[in-house]
Amino acid sequence: ELPDVSLCPAALQAQLLGDAVAGAWRREPMPGQRLRLQRLDAEGLAQALPEFQADCPAEVAVRQSSQDCFSITRKIGGLTVYVVCTGHGPWGKVVSFRAAQSIPKLLLEATE
């Protein structure tokens, strides 16, 4: 499933979004109000995590699960939001993926 562009925070610097099984998406702003969207496999995700953990005192570990989704969203100016959503039931993956996108957008836009 592709990330929903409408759920991208306005002052985005960079975001990792996905799960440890299927991989993740990295999105970053580009000139002209466009987004760069890059698909990361498990190895690519492992390489990207240290950049997002630089301002986090705890190590971020991604659990191997089929319905859990996460996002790490960095706002321009340094604020970073970490979200982990656990999915349950037949729609668990869809709901957790959607929530992992929505929560950072709502939180970061509320802090503007």
Side-chain angles (χ1 to χ4, degrees):
E1 181 177 351
L2 286 171
D4 186 338
V5 181
S6 70
L7 296 176
C8 189
L12 176 72
Q13 180 178 355
Q15 182 178 51
L16 288 179
L17 173 70
D19 69 81
V21 176
W25 295 96
R26 180 184 180 120
R27 56 182 171 186
E28 299 170 294
M30 294 179 62
Q33 297 184 347
R34 296 182 1 215
L35 288 174
R36 175 177 180 243
L37 189 62
Q38 177 185 10
R39 184 76 171 139
L40 302 174
D41 60 13
E43 184 178 327
L45 175 58
Q47 292 173 356
L49 276 174
E51 173 190 342
F52 285 81
Q53 293 178 186
D55 59 347
C56 180
E59 182 176 328
V60 176
V62 180
R63 190 174 78 187
Q64 297 289 327
S65 175
S66 63
Q67 294 196 36
D68 295 353
C69 290
F70 71 92
S71 65
I72 305 172
T73 308
R74 187 176 315 129
K75 181 179 177 178
I76 295 171
L79 180 63
T80 303
V81 175
Y82 296 84
V83 176
V84 177
C85 300
T86 302
H88 297 276
W91 292 97
K93 177 69 169 205
V94 174
V95 172
S96 64
F97 189 67
R98 185 73 175 187
Q101 294 178 77
S102 302
I103 293 169
K105 176 178 174 56
L106 296 170
L107 286 174
L108 293 175
E109 288 180 357
T111 62
E112 290 180 354

